[in-house]
Amino acid sequence: MEVFERRVVGRSDENAIERLTLALDAVAIAGEQRNFRAAAAAALTSLAVEMKASRVTFGTRETRGTRVRAMSNITRFDRRVTEVRNLAATMDEAVDQMVPVQAPSLDENDAVIRTRAEKLREARGSHSVLTQPFARDGKAVGAFVFEWPPSTPPEQHMLDAAADIAALLGPVLDDMRREERWLSSRFFHVCAKHLGRLLGPGHLGRKITVLALAAFLAFLTLYKTEFRVTADARHRGANERVDVAPHDGFDEAPPIRAGDRVATWDIKVKN
């Protein structure tokens, strides 16, 4: 935060401090709340008032696209409503390009696609729509949508402030939202994250380690060898015969002992 403040204050811009103050005030307001829903609604409503905007919206990028998470002046809304879907599509447009998208454009020669932003502006009857994405670890993870009514068009320093607001407030709200997720959702998120690192580009050391472990387990599973066990052993005949005396009496001393070789007609017992 201190480094960011020094960088902004050091710019040769008379409105730099005002823009920084606007972003820091929103972060402070969010930090005073107990949960994400209240924090996002309070911070976005404060921004809408200070920037004289008709609405400020916050969303985060998910697997299937950007999802609207909060709006100014409202705490609950239906994501199935067409207007909310238009907001999500507008955020997708900026997040996919990793650049701010403003409608109408101030530069007719830029190559930024703003089809969704123009559609949202016409549907709402707004003067201007600005979609500002924010990134974490070099990857866009969400966006803010600022809308101004025809009666109060935005000033240039307010448009410039959107980047500072997104850079500071975006990660704060995103962290608060993640902390409130169910444990199962966190588990799947962590698994997907590590699986993406394993199958995606980079992280060569992780890939080599996993391949080495897989090769070692395959060796232990498929390798065959002889095992020798040292222990006492006893041999017993597979076939046992019992000689039954034809009448009561006593047997004489047997002519053979255990372990002697015998033939078929040899006398084994005398009675």
Side-chain angles (χ1 to χ4, degrees):
M1 186 73 68
E2 183 179 356
V3 174
F4 183 84
E5 181 177 357
R6 291 178 179 178
R7 184 181 65 182
V8 175
V9 174
R11 298 175 186 169
S12 57
D13 187 348
E14 60 182 5
N15 295 314
I17 297 178
E18 182 181 355
R19 298 201 306 268
L20 177 61
T21 303
L22 185 64
L24 293 179
D25 286 345
V27 172
I29 292 173
E32 294 174 354
Q33 310 303 318
R34 295 184 177 180
N35 55 66
F36 164 74
R37 190 185 298 274
L44 297 180
T45 301
S46 174
L47 287 174
V49 172
E50 294 295 332
M51 302 176 71
K52 299 179 182 180
S54 59
R55 182 171 62 186
V56 180
T57 309
F58 170 76
T60 58
R61 190 63 178 265
E62 303 297 332
T63 304
R64 298 182 179 180
T66 306
R67 187 173 183 179
V68 176
R69 297 294 182 180
M71 297 181 186
S72 59
N73 303 308
I74 188 173
T75 56
R76 296 183 181 275
F77 53 89
D78 190 352
R79 294 186 176 91
R80 296 171 295 180
V81 176
T82 302
E83 186 173 349
V84 178
R85 292 182 177 180
N86 290 338
L87 282 167
T90 304
M91 293 180 181
D92 280 331
E93 190 175 57
V95 171
D96 291 339
Q97 299 179 84
M98 278 288 289
V99 294
V101 177
Q102 183 178 350
S105 174
L106 300 179
D107 185 3
E108 297 181 356
N109 297 323
D110 64 0
V112 177
I113 300 174
R114 52 178 52 83
T115 305
R116 294 293 184 177
E118 287 286 359
K119 182 179 179 180
L120 177 64
R121 185 177 73 89
E122 294 174 0
R124 287 272 296 174
S126 302
H127 179 277
S128 298
V129 173
L130 174 62
T131 308
Q132 178 66 52
F134 66 94
R136 306 189 72 170
D137 299 328
K139 180 181 179 181
V141 295
F144 288 83
V145 177
F146 302 87
E147 302 173 68
W148 285 273
S151 58
T152 55
E155 300 178 6
Q156 184 59 44
H157 70 278
M158 287 298 175
L159 295 175
D160 296 337
D164 298 335
I165 294 170
L168 286 176
L169 183 61
V172 172
L173 294 180
D174 190 38
D175 285 339
M176 296 182 70
R177 180 190 65 84
R178 294 187 181 190
E179 289 297 326
E180 295 182 2
R181 293 179 302 176
W182 292 92
L183 291 178
S184 57
S185 178
R186 297 185 188 183
F187 173 77
F188 285 116
H189 177 75
V190 171
C191 291
K193 179 180 178 181
H194 288 287
L195 185 61
R197 291 179 177 178
L198 182 62
L199 302 179
H203 305 283
L204 181 60
R206 187 189 299 264
K207 293 180 174 63
I208 294 176
T209 302
V210 172
L211 289 176
L213 289 176
F216 180 68
L217 291 177
F219 171 78
L220 294 180
T221 304
L222 302 177
Y223 181 73
K224 296 181 179 180
T225 185
E226 295 181 356
F227 294 91
R228 297 180 179 274
V229 179
T230 302
D232 295 336
R234 179 178 298 175
H235 293 280
R236 296 185 60 182
N239 297 321
E240 296 182 356
R241 296 290 185 266
V242 178
D243 292 327
V244 181
H247 52 79
D248 294 339
F250 298 92
D251 292 336
E252 296 183 1
I256 58 175
R257 296 179 176 277
D260 294 343
R261 291 181 178 273
V262 294
T264 303
W265 299 104
D266 292 346
I267 298 176
K268 303 174 181 67
V269 179
K270 289 185 179 180
N271 184 270

